[in-house]
Amino acid sequence: ARAAWRRGDRRRLDAILARLSGGNRPEEALVSSMAHALIARMDDRGLDRALDELAEAERLQSQLRAWLGAGLPGLERAAILHEQGRLRHALEAAEPTLAVAAEIGAGILLADAPSHVPLLRRCVAEGLHARTVGSVLAVLDRPPGPTAVAVPGTGETLSSREVEVLAHVAQGLSNREIAAALFISEVTVKSHLTRIFRKLDANSRTQAVARARELHLL
C-alpha cells in the first residue's frame, strides 16, 4: 500500500481496499485503516483526515496487539507530524509504539523502519528509546550481506546464508558462535554446513574452507 502511495497509484490503493472489504480478520481492518490514511495523504488537504485514520488504526493495533505484518500506524502518524516540523507532537506520537518495541523486541520496527529513518534518527537524538531505536538503525546501516555464488564446475550454488556461514567457519567460529552471530539455531547452522560440504565435495570444515578459497568463493 505504501509503495502504491509513493507512486500516486490511487487505483492500486482502491484495489487493496476492495480486497480487504468484508474481511473478518482484525488485522484486515488495521491494514484497511492504513490504506485509507495513505489515500487521504494524496490530497494535501487530507493530512488531518490521515492523522485521524492513523490514530484510530493505532488504537486498534494496541487493542489487538497485532505488531507484525500490518504496518505501524503510530510511526506513520509520527512521521507525518515530523515532516510538518511538529517535533514535540511527533515524539509523543512515536512513543507508544517505541515503548512496545522496547518491551517485546525491536524487531517489530524493522519492516517499517526504512520508511521512517529521519523520524527514528530524531528519536535517538532526543533520547526517546534511543537504545531500541539505535539497534534498528544499526541494522539498516549495516553493509549488505554476501550474495549467492555459483560453485565453478559443479552446477551448484551456495546461497547467501551458506556463504555467510562459511565465512564464519573460515574465521574459526564454532557452531554455537555462528548461531549467535546470525541469530539462528545451532541445528540450522549444522544443516547449512551439511549442504556446504556436499556442494563443495568436502568432508570437514577445514576442507570446505580450503576448497572455497581455491575456487575464490571466499
Side-chain angles (χ1 to χ4, degrees), residues 37 74 86 129 136 163 168 176 186:
R86 299 163 64 183
H129 296 288
V136 173
V163 173
H168 284 305
R176 177 175 295 182
E186 286 188 65

Side-chain angles (χ1 to χ4, degrees), residues 38-138:
L38 290 169
I39 287 174
R41 288 192 71 180
M42 288 182 169
D43 180 358
D44 288 339
R45 292 171 297 179
L47 278 180
D48 288 340
R49 190 166 74 255
L51 290 169
D52 289 342
E53 286 277 2
L54 290 168
E56 181 58 35
E58 188 177 4
R59 283 191 289 272
L60 179 61
Q61 184 171 58
S62 180
Q63 178 184 348
L64 298 172
R65 296 193 67 78
W67 303 109
L68 292 171
L72 295 173
L75 283 191
E76 200 82 38
R77 187 164 65 91
I80 294 174
L81 295 168
H82 186 255
E83 289 168 10
Q84 293 179 322
R86 299 163 64 183
L87 176 58
R88 181 172 62 83
H89 292 94
L91 296 177
E92 289 174 354
E95 202 285 331
T97 301
L98 298 183
V100 171
E103 175 190 351
I104 69 175
I108 69 167
L109 303 176
L110 283 172
D112 276 38
S115 298
H116 302 313
V117 169
L119 167 69
L120 295 176
R121 292 198 189 284
R122 180 57 66 94
C123 289
V124 170
E126 298 293 331
L128 182 65
H129 296 288
R131 182 174 180 179
T132 298
V133 177
S135 69
V136 173
L137 292 174

